[in-house]
Amino acid sequence: MSIAENIARIREEMARAAIAAGRNPEEILLCAATKMNDADAVRTAIAAGVDICGENRVQELTQKLSQNAYAGAPLHFIGHLQTNKVKQVVGKVDLIHSVDSLRLLTAINTEAARQGIRQDILLEVNIGQEESKSGFTPEDIPVLVEQIPSFSNIRLRGLMAIPPISQNSGDNRKFFEKMYLLAVDITAKKSDNVCVDILSMGMSDDFEDAIACGSTMIRIGTAIFGQRNYA
Ligand SMILES: *Cc1c(COP(=O)(O)O)cnc(C)c1O
């Protein structure tokens, strides 16, 4: 299957999942998770109509930017971001999905202020409460949202999660449902620098469940580009 065929199939599956949940398919954006795929593969995905490109590693982001790989699509950063690398990401991407600590939030705000811009971000929630994953606890989120107005060069657009690797389809629904409730909770809080309209959840193996539970942005790698070669 080609990248274009994969994307066409995913679009159909997205639409089916949305309609089954009584949702408008247009509410859900498809972000191509482009890690370990080269500039040509990224260009092919953009030409085939993905809504967004999401990059994981700063080095790959910088390299593909220099190759003009993302032309024609918004660019997001979706991987773990070290505070010493924020300069290479802030202002270069439209949205950072993976803000997982107060320290990183502060560093992004400082860099955005230095550049004289406002950076859109999501807060990453460690929804499965896994030791191995970064992110805020669900309990942290309402407290943090209260603090966002003091970060004047940040705009909070919503939440992101990577639930545990699941054995059976449907296993992650309980996490997606929890994320949805958390997002509804903070959407109700209207305050400065907070404009929550994005719930980033769902990957190749579970995006239909994520859509059923209210996802507005799915991040798909393998189902678009095939298995990544880690060798
Ligand atoms: C790689 C990655 C994805 C996509 O994963 P697939 O299972 O290949 O679809 C989504 N989100 C993040 C943060 C990723 O690193």
Side-chain angles (χ1 to χ4, degrees):
M1 286 286 239
S2 70
I3 288 173
E5 285 168 325
N6 287 339
I7 290 169
R9 189 192 65 247
I10 292 163
R11 286 281 187 203
E12 282 172 24
E13 290 166 353
M14 287 172 71
R16 220 177 298 133
I19 289 162
R23 303 182 59 198
N24 179 351
E26 289 173 18
E27 287 171 18
I28 303 136
L29 297 178
L30 173 57
C31 173
T34 52
K35 61 174 174 277
M36 304 186 73
N37 285 283
D38 64 15
D40 277 341
V42 174
R43 290 187 192 106
T44 304
I46 294 170
V50 297
D51 298 303
I52 300 149
C53 291
E55 203 60 77
N56 271 75
R57 296 203 193 121
V58 174
Q59 199 186 337
E60 272 192 66
L61 176 83
T62 305
Q63 186 186 1
K64 286 177 224 174
L65 273 173
S66 76
Q67 297 168 325
N68 202 26
Y70 310 110
L75 177 58
H76 291 181
F77 193 79
I78 63 175
H80 179 65
L81 179 56
Q82 291 169 289
T83 49
N84 63 352
K85 293 191 175 157
V86 296
K87 280 191 173 61
Q88 290 152 270
V89 175
V90 169
K92 300 223 161 56
V93 301
D94 300 288
L95 180 70
I96 302 173
H97 288 225
S98 40
V99 178
D100 56 9
S101 71
L102 195 54
R103 194 162 157 256
L104 178 59
L105 185 70
T106 306
I108 292 170
N109 188 63
T110 303
E111 176 58 21
R114 197 186 66 80
Q115 294 181 20
I117 61 161
R118 184 172 289 199
Q119 178 69 59
D120 280 5
I121 63 143
L122 306 179
L123 297 174
E124 181 171 351
V125 184
N126 185 357
I127 196 67
Q129 317 247 12
E130 295 171 277
E131 294 268 346
S132 61
K133 287 212 178 103
S134 51
F136 296 100
T137 68
E139 294 72 35
D140 289 334
I141 296 298
V143 183
L144 254 157
V145 173
E146 303 263 311
Q147 290 176 261
I148 294 289
S150 65
F151 294 94
S152 49
N153 291 81
I154 290 254
R155 184 167 52 190
L156 176 64
R157 296 289 303 277
L159 303 176
M160 177 269 220
I162 309 171
I165 292 169
S166 62
Q167 303 304 323
N168 306 300
S169 89
D171 277 359
N172 279 336
R173 279 212 182 208
K174 57 180 181 293
F175 297 119
F176 293 142
E177 283 163 1
K178 252 177 111 174
M179 286 295 296
Y180 178 73
L181 293 177
L182 206 52
V184 167
D185 225 38
I186 66 170
T187 307
K189 291 195 179 121
K190 296 260 184 304
S191 64
D192 284 353
N193 309 345
V194 179
C195 170
V196 170
D197 56 356
I198 299 172
L199 182 53
S200 167
M201 59 186 195
M203 313 202 306
S204 292
D205 287 336
D206 58 15
F207 68 88
E208 285 144 311
D209 284 333
I211 289 170
C213 299
S215 171
T216 68
M217 194 174 284
I218 61 171
R219 308 175 310 267
I220 307 293
T222 311
I224 293 177
F225 299 108
Q227 287 294 336
R228 288 177 289 275
N229 182 5
Y230 286 101

